[in-house]
Amino acid sequence: SAINNEVKAGHALAWCAGFLDGEGCVTLVKNRRNCGNGVNYRARVHIPQNDLPTLHAFQDRVGVHCKLIQLPHRESYTRPIYQLNFDGLHAFNLLKKLRPYLVRKAAEADVIFEYYRTCEPSRHFGPKGAPAHIWHARERCHDALRCLK
């Protein structure tokens, strides 16, 4: 029935939130640029894991676009390491779906929501860069996320 499907979907998202809480990272990645403020920020959620089927299960359950990559091998790795990368609006949409179930990453998700609410990340300001009030809001969000780590 429809209610059973909703319960199953809720359980799936709760599992995904727990997995993200334990294994994932929520950040604003700093990208260097040749114009404007010289720096731009991009929301990112990434989840590294050595068990590929677990990452596939996460992808299937959340239904949000992401890239699956294999990390370069290091001598300390006993198995290959894979990583799901959710960038920009995909990271925002993932966090929006999982926010009701997040515990450890809840405050970090809230910072990303604040970033999207106040910092106009989808807007391109041209060669002069973002206005000072937006630039300062972006810096505050970046610093707030760093303090939560």
Side-chain angles (χ1 to χ4, degrees), residues 2-93:
I3 293 175
N4 284 340
N5 289 340
E6 282 184 43
V7 169
K8 287 179 186 175
H11 285 115
L13 292 179
W15 177 85
C16 290
F19 189 68
L20 176 62
D21 270 338
E23 301 293 329
C25 180
V26 177
T27 188
L28 284 170
V29 177
K30 223 179 215 188
N31 296 317
R32 300 280 176 216
R33 300 185 58 145
N34 292 331
C35 64
N37 306 93
V39 172
N40 199 13
Y41 294 104
R42 183 172 189 83
R44 175 173 288 162
V45 174
H46 64 266
I47 308 168
Q49 179 60 229
N50 65 13
D51 188 64
L52 195 55
T54 302
L55 291 180
H56 285 303
F58 186 95
Q59 270 183 301
D60 291 343
R61 291 173 182 173
V62 296
V64 176
H65 176 77
C66 64
K67 290 185 179 177
L68 174 62
I69 63 168
Q70 183 173 349
L71 297 179
H73 182 73
R74 293 185 182 168
E75 283 187 34
S76 60
Y77 295 169
T78 57
R79 298 171 61 183
I81 305 293
Y82 303 94
Q83 183 168 287
L84 290 178
N85 290 331
F86 296 84
D87 279 318
L89 279 173
H90 301 299
F92 173 82
N93 289 330

Side-chain angles (χ1 to χ4, degrees), residues 37 40-41 115 117-123 125 129-141:
N37 306 93
N40 199 13
Y41 294 104
Y115 175 73
R117 195 170 34 255
T118 62
C119 298
E120 300 184 52
S122 301
R123 186 169 170 198
F125 291 96
H133 72 283
I134 290 178
W135 178 249
H136 293 304
R138 289 177 179 183
E139 288 281 307
R140 274 194 308 275
C141 288

